[in-house]
């Protein structure tokens, strides 16, 4: 997705490279990985994963090499060696190799029926197994794990989710929202085990998963399908083998350059300062920075910015950004309607919005996120923030009119 976004951005810009070769290991062109969860749930078909390709007759010549793998980068000669023996020269190389599921080192992890959930091949294999029915265990109660669990449930499986922390989505939600989410999922028939850690995946005589042992538990959980969604590992091997500087991922500067001035890295395979990536918003920002530099007109350097989280499960609306736990310096504003299953919690510091968790009615989410980005002082309207955008903006307009009135300005000057 990162490479696709970069190419489509370049094709709209003056000064873009005249020839772009894109090499992808998967057999198909780029698709929308974000929509794999709805695809697994049967809510969209494969066509719904397609990413649009803009047609620009005067744009760069685009050469796609799908189902092809780069096995070596020769930096001195500036050429790539592919698995089919082809040699491809480059003036500038962009590594957008993404990531793979981080698989725990537990016995049985290599059994048949144990999957990550990262690409279309994973989703298709899961769908095939799920259509047979039976029981599934999803390891990881974050965004991806819960979306995978719901997809398997909708395909007819009995699903159990294992979460190592005491609550679901512990990086995004507070206790109240996590509890409401858990109640909804259990109401749909998904079993939840929090504070749980996998010890072993059990296999049958055919080498296929048939159960999961938890640490501290004697009786295993039955499972013909086990899905691992406990994090990702950056695909850095091509760059690392070529001698590029690496930490958890390929190290880049604020122009997305690696330690080689002829090689950039983008997306989940790169690391800027201490940050690595698993959400699209910062990657889209990276694309804008890199595209300008590749067109010879460098703009503002890349910098970190906060991101908002949305859960892609049909019938569940959730929006969150900022800290999950209130600290002493935070003013906490909350609203809850148990009958309507709605909850809002806002965190402010010195009158400025720094975090929000919305469950149920999340229509205000993008507006609240924009307020936080603008770092506006909301002292005079902070209690109306829970009521809605229209009420708050009316108060803000009224306050602005008062502040700009001649009488108010005169009083301000006299006070000064």
């Amino acid at each position: 997705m990162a490479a696709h976004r970069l190419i489509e951005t370049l094709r709209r810009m003056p000064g873009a490279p005249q020839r772009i070769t894109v090499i992808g290991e998967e057999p198909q062109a780029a698709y929308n990985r974000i929509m794999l969860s709805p695809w697994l749930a049967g809510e969209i078909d494969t066509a719904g994963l397609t990413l649009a390709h803009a047609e620009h007759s005067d744009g760069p010549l685009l050469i796609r090499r799908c189902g092809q793998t780069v096995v070596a980068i020769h930096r001195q000669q500036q050429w790539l060696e592919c698995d089919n023996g082809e040699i491809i020269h480059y003036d500038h190389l962009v590594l957008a190799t993404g990531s793979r599921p981080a698989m725990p080192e537990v016995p049985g992890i290599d059994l048949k029926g144990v999957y990550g959930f990262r690409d279309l091949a994973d989703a298709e294999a899961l769908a095939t197994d799920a259509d047979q029915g039976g029981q599934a265990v999803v390891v990881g109660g974050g965004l991806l794990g819960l979306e995978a669990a719901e997809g398997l449930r909708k395909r007819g499986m009995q699903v159990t989710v294992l979460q190592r922390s005491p609550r679901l989505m512990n990086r995004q939600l507070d206790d109240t929202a996590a509890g409401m989410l858990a109640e909804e999922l259990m109401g749909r028939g998904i079993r939840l085990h929090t504070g749980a850690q996998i010890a072993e995946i059990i296999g049958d005589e055919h080498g296929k998963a048939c159960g999961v042992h938890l640490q501290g538990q004697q009786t295993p959980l039955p499972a013909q399908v086990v899905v691992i969604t406990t994090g990702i590992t950056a695909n850095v091997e091509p760059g690392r083998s070529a001698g590029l500087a690496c930490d958890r991922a390929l190290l880049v500067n604020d122009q997305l350059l690696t330690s080689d001035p002829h090689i950039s890295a983008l997306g989940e395979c790169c690391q800027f300062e201490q940050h690595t990536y698993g959400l699209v918003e910062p990657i889209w920002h990276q694309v804008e920075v890199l595209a300008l530099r590749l067109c010879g007109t460098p703009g503002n350097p890349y910098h970190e910015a906060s991101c908002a989280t949305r859960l892609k499960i049909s019938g569940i609306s959730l929006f969150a950004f900022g800290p999950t736990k209130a600290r002493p310096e935070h003013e906490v504003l909350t609203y809850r309607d148990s009958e309507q299953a709605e909850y809002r919690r806002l965190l402010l510091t010195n009158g400025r919005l720094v975090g929000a968790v919305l469950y149920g009615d999340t229509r205000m989410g993008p507006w609240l996120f924009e307020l936080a980005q603008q770092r506006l002082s909301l002292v005079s309207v902070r209690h109306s923030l829970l009521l809605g955008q229209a009420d708050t903006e009316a108060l803000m307009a009224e306050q602005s009119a008062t502040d700009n009135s001649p009488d108010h300005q005169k009083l301000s000057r006299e006070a000064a």
Side-chain angles (χ1 to χ4, degrees):
M1 287 179 66
H4 175 272
R5 180 84 169 208
L6 175 64
I7 292 165
E8 294 303 300
T9 301
L10 287 172
R11 296 176 79 184
R12 297 191 299 267
M13 297 177 65
Q18 291 303 300
R19 178 186 176 101
I20 301 174
T21 301
V22 56
I23 306 167
E25 184 178 34
E26 292 183 77
Q28 61 278 110
Y31 53 89
N32 191 346
R33 297 178 191 274
I34 297 172
M35 299 306 291
L36 285 175
S37 299
W39 183 90
L40 180 61
E43 296 166 2
I44 63 170
D45 58 16
T46 303
L49 300 175
T50 302
L51 290 170
H53 295 275
E55 296 300 330
H56 298 276
S57 58
D58 58 345
L61 172 63
L62 180 61
I63 302 167
R64 291 190 181 92
R65 296 242 195 304
C66 295
Q68 198 164 317
T69 303
V70 172
V71 295
I73 301 170
H74 299 270
R75 291 167 51 197
Q76 296 300 320
Q77 297 87 352
Q78 289 184 223
W79 50 266
L80 309 173
E81 183 180 348
C82 297
D83 56 349
N84 62 356
E86 183 177 9
I87 300 298
I88 301 176
H89 291 267
Y90 66 85
D91 295 307
H92 196 86
L93 175 63
V94 178
L95 296 174
T97 49
S99 65
R100 61 186 181 275
M103 306 299 276
E105 295 183 2
V106 296
I109 196 68
D110 295 324
L111 289 168
K112 297 175 184 177
V114 180
Y115 302 99
F117 184 37
R118 200 68 192 159
D119 57 26
L120 184 56
D122 292 333
E124 289 174 339
L126 282 171
T128 299
D129 273 9
D131 289 342
Q132 307 303 311
Q135 295 146 315
V137 168
V138 177
V139 184
L143 278 170
L144 192 62
L146 297 182
E147 291 169 5
E150 175 66 359
L152 294 172
R153 183 196 71 83
K154 292 190 75 171
R155 285 187 176 266
M157 298 200 82
Q158 298 175 13
V159 183
T160 299
V161 174
L162 308 180
Q163 170 70 331
R164 187 172 182 174
S165 77
R167 66 175 188 269
L168 300 177
M169 292 182 62
N170 57 296
R171 295 185 179 181
Q172 294 88 17
L173 303 183
D174 64 356
D175 290 337
T176 302
M180 295 175 73
L181 175 60
E183 186 177 347
E184 170 65 26
L185 293 174
M186 288 188 292
R188 297 184 180 197
I190 295 176
R191 300 181 180 93
L192 304 175
H193 289 267
T194 56
Q197 191 165 346
I198 187 171
E200 179 187 11
I201 303 172
I202 307 166
D204 61 18
E205 64 273 18
H206 303 294
K208 191 175 190 312
C210 63
V212 171
H213 255 130
L214 303 183
Q215 289 187 6
Q217 299 288 331
Q218 295 295 321
T219 304
L221 300 172
Q224 295 77 52
V225 170
V226 179
V227 187
I228 308 296
T229 61
T230 52
I232 58 176
T233 299
N235 290 325
V236 301
E237 286 73 15
R240 190 191 298 275
S241 298
L244 297 178
C246 293
D247 184 14
R248 290 174 294 145
L250 297 167
L251 296 174
V252 297
N253 64 13
D254 60 11
Q255 290 294 320
L256 284 307
L257 270 174
T258 67
S259 54
D260 185 319
H262 298 289
I263 302 178
S264 299
L266 177 70
E268 293 176 341
C269 70
C270 80
Q271 177 178 334
F272 174 65
E273 297 175 344
Q274 75 273 24
H275 304 284
T276 54
Y277 304 94
L279 299 174
V280 297
E281 286 186 42
I283 296 173
W284 290 174
H285 181 198
Q286 292 175 4
V287 165
E288 297 299 326
V289 173
L290 180 54
L292 284 170
R293 181 167 58 77
L294 293 177
C295 291
T297 56
N300 293 327
Y302 178 76
H303 64 275
E304 287 300 308
S306 60
C307 297
T309 296
R310 297 174 178 85
L311 183 66
K312 295 178 294 298
I313 293 181
S314 179
I316 300 177
S317 294
L318 188 155
F319 187 100
F321 65 87
T324 58
K325 186 176 181 180
R327 296 191 289 268
E329 68 269 22
H330 290 144
E331 179 182 7
V332 183
L333 306 177
T334 58
Y335 167 87
R336 182 170 184 179
D337 184 336
S338 298
E339 291 187 3
Q340 298 297 320
E342 290 183 11
Y343 172 70
R344 301 166 203 153
R345 188 212 64 180
L346 308 181
L347 299 180
L348 292 91
T349 301
N350 298 323
R352 290 178 171 82
L353 184 62
V354 296
V357 174
L358 283 72
Y359 185 95
D361 185 352
T362 61
R363 290 173 294 179
M364 293 195 305
W367 170 70
L368 290 170
F369 184 66
E370 182 63 25
L371 287 180
Q373 296 295 96
Q374 294 174 357
R375 296 184 55 80
L376 297 175
S377 176
L378 303 168
V379 173
S380 61
V381 297
R382 63 188 186 280
H383 291 296
S384 70
L385 290 171
L386 293 170
L387 302 178
Q389 182 174 351
D391 290 342
T392 302
E393 289 185 340
L395 283 173
M396 292 172 72
E398 180 181 332
Q399 182 64 45
S400 178
T402 300
D403 292 345
N404 292 324
S405 68
D407 289 343
H408 183 272
Q409 291 181 359
K410 180 181 177 181
L411 288 172
S412 297
R413 288 194 298 270
E414 290 175 350

